[in-house]
Amino acid sequence: QVQLVESGGGLVQPGGSLRLSCAASGFTFSWYTMSWYRQGPGKERELVASIPSAGGTRNYADSVKGRFTISRDNNKNTVYLQMNSLIPDDTARYYCNARYSLVNYWGQGTQVTVSS
């Protein structure tokens, strides 16, 4: 069964850092573009960052560029999101996404709350 399991969320103060992880199983991870999305209170889900199957050029939302870093380890079937200089507007549930052709998988999400 396909699974994407996010972890690493929590409560952090503004200016702090968190590292999210997404462990994948049940599909050929190395074929898939991996992405992080987020959905804050009263907002639509938005793309945060993406990384191609073989790594290389990453893509970031303007709102997180320079603060967040997406990476992947195809040997561990895991994608990461390093989040630095967090601000309250980063508060959201963060979802891991795997995409290949028309196939799309989602994790259950992990909550990130940035507050003092």
Side-chain angles (χ1 to χ4, degrees):
Q1 188 173 42
V2 169
Q3 284 202 309
L4 296 173
V5 181
E6 300 95 332
S7 61
L11 175 65
V12 65
Q13 294 185 24
S17 298
L18 284 174
R19 189 197 194 204
L20 306 184
S21 298
C22 173
S25 60
F27 64 99
T28 306
F29 178 82
S30 61
W31 294 1
Y32 283 70
T33 295
M34 301 300 299
S35 300
W36 289 95
Y37 289 76
R38 68 185 182 186
Q39 186 169 18
K43 300 179 180 179
E44 297 297 318
R45 185 164 54 189
E46 65 174 346
L47 177 65
V48 177
S50 295
I51 183 169
S53 59
T57 301
R58 283 81 153 156
N59 294 299
Y60 298 95
D62 289 342
S63 59
V64 307
K65 200 174 187 69
R67 300 188 297 119
F68 291 11
T69 302
I70 189 171
S71 61
R72 67 190 295 160
D73 187 336
N74 285 349
N75 292 321
K76 296 181 178 179
N77 289 353
T78 302
V79 63
Y80 307 93
L81 185 68
Q82 179 66 46
M83 306 185 295
N84 299 326
S85 302
L86 286 160
I87 60 176
D89 201 47
D90 294 321
T91 296
R93 192 164 186 87
Y94 285 71
Y95 297 89
C96 181
N97 169 264
R99 185 177 70 256
Y100 177 73
S101 187
L102 299 179
V103 179
N104 219 40
Y105 300 131
W106 293 92
Q108 83 291 342
T110 184
Q111 180 67 36
V112 172
T113 301
V114 184
S115 176
S116 59

PDB file of all heavy atoms in Angstrom, residues 28-32 34 51-55 71-80:
ATOM      1  N   THR A  28       7.701   3.368  -6.454  1.00  0.00           N
ATOM      2  CA  THR A  28       9.094   3.600  -6.813  1.00  0.00           C
ATOM      3  C   THR A  28       9.429   5.069  -6.590  1.00  0.00           C
ATOM      4  O   THR A  28       9.276   5.908  -7.478  1.00  0.00           O
ATOM      5  CB  THR A  28       9.362   3.188  -8.261  1.00  0.00           C
ATOM      6  OG1 THR A  28       8.936   1.841  -8.469  1.00  0.00           O
ATOM      7  CG2 THR A  28      10.853   3.278  -8.572  1.00  0.00           C
ATOM      8  N   PHE A  29       9.885   5.342  -5.400  1.00  0.00           N
ATOM      9  CA  PHE A  29      10.112   6.711  -4.948  1.00  0.00           C
ATOM     10  C   PHE A  29      10.983   7.505  -5.916  1.00  0.00           C
ATOM     11  O   PHE A  29      10.711   8.685  -6.175  1.00  0.00           O
ATOM     12  CB  PHE A  29      10.745   6.671  -3.552  1.00  0.00           C
ATOM     13  CG  PHE A  29      11.075   8.010  -2.971  1.00  0.00           C
ATOM     14  CD1 PHE A  29      10.105   8.767  -2.340  1.00  0.00           C
ATOM     15  CD2 PHE A  29      12.369   8.505  -3.037  1.00  0.00           C
ATOM     16  CE1 PHE A  29      10.409   9.994  -1.786  1.00  0.00           C
ATOM     17  CE2 PHE A  29      12.689   9.733  -2.486  1.00  0.00           C
ATOM     18  CZ  PHE A  29      11.705  10.478  -1.867  1.00  0.00           C
ATOM     19  N   SER A  30      12.025   6.899  -6.435  1.00  0.00           N
ATOM     20  CA  SER A  30      12.989   7.607  -7.264  1.00  0.00           C
ATOM     21  C   SER A  30      12.408   8.107  -8.583  1.00  0.00           C
ATOM     22  O   SER A  30      13.021   8.946  -9.241  1.00  0.00           O
ATOM     23  CB  SER A  30      14.211   6.728  -7.539  1.00  0.00           C
ATOM     24  OG  SER A  30      13.842   5.552  -8.236  1.00  0.00           O
ATOM     25  N   TRP A  31      11.250   7.609  -8.988  1.00  0.00           N
ATOM     26  CA  TRP A  31      10.602   8.079 -10.200  1.00  0.00           C
ATOM     27  C   TRP A  31       9.827   9.376 -10.007  1.00  0.00           C
ATOM     28  O   TRP A  31       9.485  10.028 -10.998  1.00  0.00           O
ATOM     29  CB  TRP A  31       9.602   7.043 -10.728  1.00  0.00           C
ATOM     30  CG  TRP A  31      10.204   5.761 -11.217  1.00  0.00           C
ATOM     31  CD1 TRP A  31      11.518   5.402 -11.235  1.00  0.00           C
ATOM     32  CD2 TRP A  31       9.486   4.653 -11.764  1.00  0.00           C
ATOM     33  NE1 TRP A  31      11.662   4.143 -11.768  1.00  0.00           N
ATOM     34  CE2 TRP A  31      10.424   3.658 -12.094  1.00  0.00           C
ATOM     35  CE3 TRP A  31       8.130   4.407 -12.008  1.00  0.00           C
ATOM     36  CZ2 TRP A  31      10.062   2.439 -12.658  1.00  0.00           C
ATOM     37  CZ3 TRP A  31       7.763   3.196 -12.564  1.00  0.00           C
ATOM     38  CH2 TRP A  31       8.723   2.227 -12.880  1.00  0.00           C
ATOM     39  N   TYR A  32       9.539   9.723  -8.784  1.00  0.00           N
ATOM     40  CA  TYR A  32       8.534  10.735  -8.497  1.00  0.00           C
ATOM     41  C   TYR A  32       9.125  12.093  -8.162  1.00  0.00           C
ATOM     42  O   TYR A  32      10.127  12.206  -7.442  1.00  0.00           O
ATOM     43  CB  TYR A  32       7.655  10.278  -7.328  1.00  0.00           C
ATOM     44  CG  TYR A  32       6.636   9.236  -7.702  1.00  0.00           C
ATOM     45  CD1 TYR A  32       7.022   7.938  -8.022  1.00  0.00           C
ATOM     46  CD2 TYR A  32       5.286   9.550  -7.740  1.00  0.00           C
ATOM     47  CE1 TYR A  32       6.092   6.983  -8.375  1.00  0.00           C
ATOM     48  CE2 TYR A  32       4.348   8.597  -8.085  1.00  0.00           C
ATOM     49  CZ  TYR A  32       4.751   7.316  -8.400  1.00  0.00           C
ATOM     50  OH  TYR A  32       3.812   6.369  -8.739  1.00  0.00           O
ATOM     51  N   MET A  34       8.802  15.061  -5.850  1.00  0.00           N
ATOM     52  CA  MET A  34       8.305  15.205  -4.487  1.00  0.00           C
ATOM     53  C   MET A  34       8.103  16.678  -4.164  1.00  0.00           C
ATOM     54  O   MET A  34       8.918  17.528  -4.538  1.00  0.00           O
ATOM     55  CB  MET A  34       9.272  14.579  -3.485  1.00  0.00           C
ATOM     56  CG  MET A  34       9.528  13.094  -3.700  1.00  0.00           C
ATOM     57  SD  MET A  34       8.018  12.086  -3.593  1.00  0.00           S
ATOM     58  CE  MET A  34       7.505  12.406  -1.898  1.00  0.00           C
ATOM     59  N   ILE A  51      10.944  19.100  -5.668  1.00  0.00           N
ATOM     60  CA  ILE A  51      12.250  18.608  -6.081  1.00  0.00           C
ATOM     61  C   ILE A  51      12.050  17.486  -7.083  1.00  0.00           C
ATOM     62  O   ILE A  51      11.262  16.567  -6.852  1.00  0.00           O
ATOM     63  CB  ILE A  51      13.079  18.148  -4.857  1.00  0.00           C
ATOM     64  CG1 ILE A  51      14.470  17.693  -5.288  1.00  0.00           C
ATOM     65  CG2 ILE A  51      12.354  17.060  -4.073  1.00  0.00           C
ATOM     66  CD1 ILE A  51      15.431  17.475  -4.117  1.00  0.00           C
ATOM     67  N   PRO A  52      12.733  17.541  -8.229  1.00  0.00           N
ATOM     68  CA  PRO A  52      12.561  16.499  -9.246  1.00  0.00           C
ATOM     69  C   PRO A  52      13.047  15.140  -8.761  1.00  0.00           C
ATOM     70  O   PRO A  52      13.728  15.024  -7.745  1.00  0.00           O
ATOM     71  CB  PRO A  52      13.413  17.002 -10.418  1.00  0.00           C
ATOM     72  CG  PRO A  52      13.589  18.460 -10.176  1.00  0.00           C
ATOM     73  CD  PRO A  52      13.636  18.617  -8.688  1.00  0.00           C
ATOM     74  N   SER A  53      12.705  14.118  -9.541  1.00  0.00           N
ATOM     75  CA  SER A  53      13.010  12.749  -9.147  1.00  0.00           C
ATOM     76  C   SER A  53      14.501  12.507  -8.929  1.00  0.00           C
ATOM     77  O   SER A  53      14.882  11.779  -8.008  1.00  0.00           O
ATOM     78  CB  SER A  53      12.465  11.770 -10.187  1.00  0.00           C
ATOM     79  OG  SER A  53      13.028  12.027 -11.462  1.00  0.00           O
ATOM     80  N   ALA A  54      15.320  13.113  -9.771  1.00  0.00           N
ATOM     81  CA  ALA A  54      16.765  12.926  -9.687  1.00  0.00           C
ATOM     82  C   ALA A  54      17.462  14.034  -8.911  1.00  0.00           C
ATOM     83  O   ALA A  54      18.685  14.150  -8.955  1.00  0.00           O
ATOM     84  CB  ALA A  54      17.358  12.814 -11.088  1.00  0.00           C
ATOM     85  N   GLY A  55      16.699  14.816  -8.209  1.00  0.00           N
ATOM     86  CA  GLY A  55      17.263  15.959  -7.525  1.00  0.00           C
ATOM     87  C   GLY A  55      17.417  17.111  -8.495  1.00  0.00           C
ATOM     88  O   GLY A  55      16.557  17.337  -9.349  1.00  0.00           O
ATOM     89  N   SER A  71      14.936  18.727   0.101  1.00  0.00           N
ATOM     90  CA  SER A  71      15.947  17.769  -0.301  1.00  0.00           C
ATOM     91  C   SER A  71      15.345  16.374  -0.283  1.00  0.00           C
ATOM     92  O   SER A  71      14.257  16.165   0.260  1.00  0.00           O
ATOM     93  CB  SER A  71      17.179  17.839   0.609  1.00  0.00           C
ATOM     94  OG  SER A  71      16.840  17.536   1.951  1.00  0.00           O
ATOM     95  N   ARG A  72      16.039  15.434  -0.889  1.00  0.00           N
ATOM     96  CA  ARG A  72      15.547  14.062  -0.899  1.00  0.00           C
ATOM     97  C   ARG A  72      16.705  13.093  -0.828  1.00  0.00           C
ATOM     98  O   ARG A  72      17.831  13.396  -1.241  1.00  0.00           O
ATOM     99  CB  ARG A  72      14.703  13.787  -2.153  1.00  0.00           C
ATOM    100  CG  ARG A  72      15.486  13.801  -3.460  1.00  0.00           C
ATOM    101  CD  ARG A  72      14.538  13.755  -4.663  1.00  0.00           C
ATOM    102  NE  ARG A  72      13.803  12.509  -4.738  1.00  0.00           N
ATOM    103  CZ  ARG A  72      12.670  12.344  -5.418  1.00  0.00           C
ATOM    104  NH1 ARG A  72      12.129  13.379  -6.073  1.00  0.00           N
ATOM    105  NH2 ARG A  72      12.076  11.157  -5.441  1.00  0.00           N
ATOM    106  N   ASP A  73      16.410  11.933  -0.308  1.00  0.00           N
ATOM    107  CA  ASP A  73      17.355  10.836  -0.256  1.00  0.00           C
ATOM    108  C   ASP A  73      16.659   9.633  -0.874  1.00  0.00           C
ATOM    109  O   ASP A  73      15.824   8.993  -0.231  1.00  0.00           O
ATOM    110  CB  ASP A  73      17.789  10.554   1.178  1.00  0.00           C
ATOM    111  CG  ASP A  73      18.906   9.532   1.260  1.00  0.00           C
ATOM    112  OD1 ASP A  73      19.056   8.718   0.333  1.00  0.00           O
ATOM    113  OD2 ASP A  73      19.641   9.548   2.270  1.00  0.00           O
ATOM    114  N   ASN A  74      16.990   9.338  -2.119  1.00  0.00           N
ATOM    115  CA  ASN A  74      16.315   8.255  -2.824  1.00  0.00           C
ATOM    116  C   ASN A  74      16.662   6.882  -2.255  1.00  0.00           C
ATOM    117  O   ASN A  74      15.919   5.924  -2.464  1.00  0.00           O
ATOM    118  CB  ASN A  74      16.640   8.308  -4.317  1.00  0.00           C
ATOM    119  CG  ASN A  74      15.900   9.423  -5.037  1.00  0.00           C
ATOM    120  OD1 ASN A  74      14.990  10.031  -4.476  1.00  0.00           O
ATOM    121  ND2 ASN A  74      16.291   9.692  -6.266  1.00  0.00           N
ATOM    122  N   ASN A  75      17.778   6.786  -1.568  1.00  0.00           N
ATOM    123  CA  ASN A  75      18.134   5.521  -0.930  1.00  0.00           C
ATOM    124  C   ASN A  75      17.304   5.262   0.320  1.00  0.00           C
ATOM    125  O   ASN A  75      17.123   4.114   0.711  1.00  0.00           O
ATOM    126  CB  ASN A  75      19.621   5.497  -0.582  1.00  0.00           C
ATOM    127  CG  ASN A  75      20.505   5.465  -1.808  1.00  0.00           C
ATOM    128  OD1 ASN A  75      20.193   4.802  -2.789  1.00  0.00           O
ATOM    129  ND2 ASN A  75      21.618   6.177  -1.755  1.00  0.00           N
ATOM    130  N   LYS A  76      16.829   6.324   0.930  1.00  0.00           N
ATOM    131  CA  LYS A  76      15.997   6.203   2.125  1.00  0.00           C
ATOM    132  C   LYS A  76      14.519   6.424   1.842  1.00  0.00           C
ATOM    133  O   LYS A  76      13.700   6.344   2.759  1.00  0.00           O
ATOM    134  CB  LYS A  76      16.453   7.197   3.191  1.00  0.00           C
ATOM    135  CG  LYS A  76      17.845   6.943   3.712  1.00  0.00           C
ATOM    136  CD  LYS A  76      18.209   7.954   4.790  1.00  0.00           C
ATOM    137  CE  LYS A  76      19.585   7.679   5.356  1.00  0.00           C
ATOM    138  NZ  LYS A  76      19.970   8.672   6.391  1.00  0.00           N
ATOM    139  N   ASN A  77      14.183   6.706   0.582  1.00  0.00           N
ATOM    140  CA  ASN A  77      12.791   6.994   0.207  1.00  0.00           C
ATOM    141  C   ASN A  77      12.193   8.088   1.094  1.00  0.00           C
ATOM    142  O   ASN A  77      11.068   7.974   1.581  1.00  0.00           O
ATOM    143  CB  ASN A  77      11.935   5.730   0.282  1.00  0.00           C
ATOM    144  CG  ASN A  77      12.252   4.729  -0.817  1.00  0.00           C
ATOM    145  OD1 ASN A  77      13.033   5.003  -1.729  1.00  0.00           O
ATOM    146  ND2 ASN A  77      11.646   3.560  -0.740  1.00  0.00           N
ATOM    147  N   THR A  78      12.955   9.143   1.269  1.00  0.00           N
ATOM    148  CA  THR A  78      12.547  10.199   2.174  1.00  0.00           C
ATOM    149  C   THR A  78      12.804  11.564   1.549  1.00  0.00           C
ATOM    150  O   THR A  78      13.840  11.775   0.915  1.00  0.00           O
ATOM    151  CB  THR A  78      13.288  10.100   3.514  1.00  0.00           C
ATOM    152  OG1 THR A  78      13.033   8.814   4.098  1.00  0.00           O
ATOM    153  CG2 THR A  78      12.823  11.179   4.475  1.00  0.00           C
ATOM    154  N   VAL A  79      11.862  12.459   1.735  1.00  0.00           N
ATOM    155  CA  VAL A  79      12.021  13.844   1.328  1.00  0.00           C
ATOM    156  C   VAL A  79      11.941  14.719   2.576  1.00  0.00           C
ATOM    157  O   VAL A  79      11.204  14.403   3.521  1.00  0.00           O
ATOM    158  CB  VAL A  79      10.971  14.260   0.275  1.00  0.00           C
ATOM    159  CG1 VAL A  79       9.556  14.175   0.842  1.00  0.00           C
ATOM    160  CG2 VAL A  79      11.262  15.649  -0.264  1.00  0.00           C
ATOM    161  N   TYR A  80      12.706  15.802   2.586  1.00  0.00           N
ATOM    162  CA  TYR A  80      12.812  16.669   3.741  1.00  0.00           C
ATOM    163  C   TYR A  80      12.455  18.102   3.372  1.00  0.00           C
ATOM    164  O   TYR A  80      12.559  18.517   2.221  1.00  0.00           O
ATOM    165  CB  TYR A  80      14.238  16.660   4.299  1.00  0.00           C
ATOM    166  CG  TYR A  80      14.789  15.285   4.585  1.00  0.00           C
ATOM    167  CD1 TYR A  80      15.543  14.610   3.633  1.00  0.00           C
ATOM    168  CD2 TYR A  80      14.563  14.669   5.810  1.00  0.00           C
ATOM    169  CE1 TYR A  80      16.057  13.354   3.893  1.00  0.00           C
ATOM    170  CE2 TYR A  80      15.071  13.412   6.076  1.00  0.00           C
ATOM    171  CZ  TYR A  80      15.819  12.757   5.121  1.00  0.00           C
ATOM    172  OH  TYR A  80      16.330  11.508   5.389  1.00  0.00           O
TER     173      TYR A  80
END
